[in-house]
Amino acid sequence: MTALPTRVAVVHDWLKFYSGAEQVLEQMLAVVPQADLFAIADFLEPRDRAFLDGRLPRTTFVQSLPFARSKYRGYLPLMPLAIESMDLSGYDLVISSSHAVAKGVITGPDQLHICMCYSPMRYAWDLQHQYLAESGLNHGVRGWMARLMLHKMRNWDVRSATGVDHFVAISKYIARRIEKAYRRPATVVYPPVNTDYFVPGDAKSEFFLTASRLVPYKRVDLIASAFRSLPDRRLIIVGDGPEMAKVKRAAGSNVEIMGWQPIDVVRDLMQRARAFVYAAEEDFGIAVVEAQACGTPVVAYGVGGATETVVGERPFRPKPVAPTGVFFEEQSTESIVRAIHALEGDATMDRDACRASALRFARARFRDEFLRFIQARWDEFRRARG
């Protein structure tokens, strides 16, 4: 095989938290350590910067806009212009790491562009109506303005997809969304999970756990509400975000909201939890796999990436595979409560099955699959150019 080029650019949407997309980015940079890193903006806190290994991302004008650190999403209409302003003409291989606009970087005919796609822009496509309703923008003049903006973003999103030579999807679910939005095939490479760090603990407790950013689509308020109706069960919520007040209103006295916690605290809670509860329609869901790596079963919404990472009750479980969780059928408190009862009544779930399920997504597996994919595409590209 031909060696990968030395002139490689990796383009990420924006850097704000060390979450799922950033864990993928970290391992991508390990595969192409020679790469220069670009992002719309970089607002990472010092505690979250270690994964960049000293890299200083090259950013755009969005970095300097008023209140961008806290209100960067409000500049979404300007982000296509920002991403297209990046000059990547000096690179042979461009890898975009995209859930919003990164795939829209402009490349030429002598550059190979591979997109690691976490999702087509979810708030502009099939989740538009949910996004508008949760943001209070589903009526009135502001609602019409938001719909017009999202219409323009969809048009740009489709046009910019033509500049991608190859799509990589983080799940079969996302591959189907890419096909639906862009009419393009995608190769699935599942994201990396740190199964060397997230390992089973020594003992279990009786509390349930959920951990995520408190943003609307995660539906943490539903989980809190479900446990309000289960007063004899204890729930711990880890995470922070704009939905904090809503989650607090939904929670009962048996729900402890811890806010943001360092990774060692999250791991300890995952190791000791009775089960991990997750209510989002997730693209993949790294936290769900981390919990299983700790030997903890999962109660999850049975749509999206969770159906590929959790071995749940039928119709999702192919007998005789040991289950690692229970799915609920709809995003409602009643459905979550039924799933909690079902999990408590299923004695077939054990630590070893959960751990084995998680090991399918180890970091080394990701690095190997991603490297082989970009190497094969680079070889094809070089041959086609003669």
Side-chain angles (χ1 to χ4, degrees):
M1 284 189 174
T2 306
L4 290 176
T6 57
R7 300 186 301 176
V8 180
V10 173
V11 185
H12 196 62
D13 283 308
W14 50 76
L15 292 161
K16 178 64 174 177
F17 306 102
Y18 179 66
S19 55
E22 288 69 39
Q23 292 184 49
V24 178
L25 175 64
E26 178 181 18
Q27 298 306 308
M28 289 167 59
L29 292 172
V31 170
V32 284
Q34 72 273 37
D36 292 328
L37 179 60
F38 294 77
I40 291 284
D42 174 14
F43 299 124
L44 283 170
E45 298 293 339
R47 71 191 182 205
D48 292 332
R49 302 198 69 85
F51 80 99
L52 294 181
D53 196 25
R55 286 183 176 83
L56 292 176
R58 304 181 193 182
T59 59
T60 71
F61 64 84
V62 173
Q63 183 82 28
S64 302
L65 293 176
F67 310 109
R69 176 173 288 274
S70 59
K71 304 292 185 182
Y72 61 96
R73 292 181 186 274
Y75 289 114
L76 183 64
L78 296 179
M79 288 185 182
L81 177 62
I83 204 73
E84 290 176 351
S85 72
M86 291 180 176
D87 182 4
L88 303 181
S89 58
Y91 296 93
D92 298 308
L93 172 61
V94 175
I95 302 172
S96 56
S97 170
S98 183
H99 63 78
V101 298
K103 70 168 180 51
V105 291
I106 296 175
T107 55
D110 291 327
Q111 294 174 289
L112 177 64
H113 180 186
I114 294 172
C115 176
M116 169 63 73
C117 185
Y118 307 106
S119 174
M121 199 182 308
R122 54 170 53 240
Y123 27 81
W125 289 96
D126 51 314
L127 296 185
Q128 171 188 286
H129 301 293
Q130 177 182 330
Y131 167 75
L132 291 173
E134 291 170 349
S135 303
L137 296 172
N138 55 343
H139 58 273
V141 175
R142 292 176 67 239
W144 281 108
M145 291 176 63
R147 291 174 190 276
L148 178 60
M149 184 271 288
L150 292 176
H151 172 73
K152 291 181 176 180
M153 290 297 294
R154 271 194 303 277
N155 289 341
W156 176 86
D157 198 36
V158 172
R159 181 188 62 75
S160 64
T162 63
V164 176
D165 295 300
H166 301 281
F167 277 99
V168 180
I170 62 168
S171 63
K172 296 175 183 176
Y173 172 65
I174 293 304
R176 294 194 296 272
R177 295 190 75 227
I178 291 170
E179 171 66 30
K180 186 73 172 182
Y182 307 143
R183 300 302 179 190
R184 297 284 301 280
T187 299
V188 175
V189 178
Y190 286 113
V193 178
N194 193 350
T195 54
D196 293 330
Y197 183 79
F198 288 92
V199 295
D202 296 327
K204 285 290 186 183
S205 299
E206 286 304 310
F207 66 85
F208 292 77
L209 173 70
T210 189
S212 77
R213 290 177 293 118
L214 303 187
V215 293
Y217 87 93
K218 296 290 189 179
R219 304 312 310 269
V220 178
D221 60 307
L222 283 181
I223 301 173
S225 178
F227 276 84
R228 180 191 283 273
S229 63
L230 295 168
D232 55 340
R233 276 84 162 178
R234 180 182 171 216
L235 172 69
I236 294 178
I237 298 175
V238 173
D240 201 354
E243 292 281 284
M244 176 63 82
K246 185 176 182 180
V247 172
K248 286 182 177 179
R249 288 194 298 270
S253 60
N254 60 327
V255 177
E256 179 182 358
I257 303 174
M258 296 181 66
W260 178 90
Q261 295 295 319
I263 191 170
D264 58 326
V265 173
V266 175
R267 180 181 66 170
D268 174 68
L269 292 169
M270 283 183 170
Q271 290 170 334
R272 295 189 292 115
R274 170 70 179 85
F276 187 82
V277 187
Y278 211 70
E281 180 179 336
E282 198 59 86
D283 305 327
F284 175 76
I286 285 180
V288 169
V289 183
E290 289 172 343
Q292 291 176 88
C294 291
T296 299
V298 175
V299 175
Y301 181 38
V303 174
T307 63
E308 299 174 48
T309 61
V310 178
V311 183
E313 61 184 4
R314 290 180 292 177
F316 303 102
R317 185 173 80 210
K319 292 284 189 178
V321 177
T324 67
V326 172
F327 292 113
F328 51 92
E329 297 177 354
E330 60 184 26
Q331 289 175 311
S332 68
T333 57
E334 296 80 7
S335 191
I336 294 173
V337 168
R338 287 195 296 270
I340 295 291
H341 287 310
L343 178 121
E344 292 176 332
D346 191 336
T348 64
M349 297 182 200
D350 62 32
R351 185 175 78 169
D352 292 341
C354 292
R355 176 72 181 168
S357 176
L359 289 176
R360 296 177 292 155
F361 308 102
R363 284 177 160 184
R365 183 273 323 160
F366 172 84
R367 291 193 299 267
D368 178 65
E369 289 185 16
F370 187 66
L371 176 59
R372 285 191 284 112
F373 179 83
I374 62 174
Q375 182 72 75
R377 302 295 81 76
W378 178 250
D379 285 348
E380 294 169 358
F381 183 70
R382 285 291 299 272
R383 288 195 297 269
R385 290 198 304 174

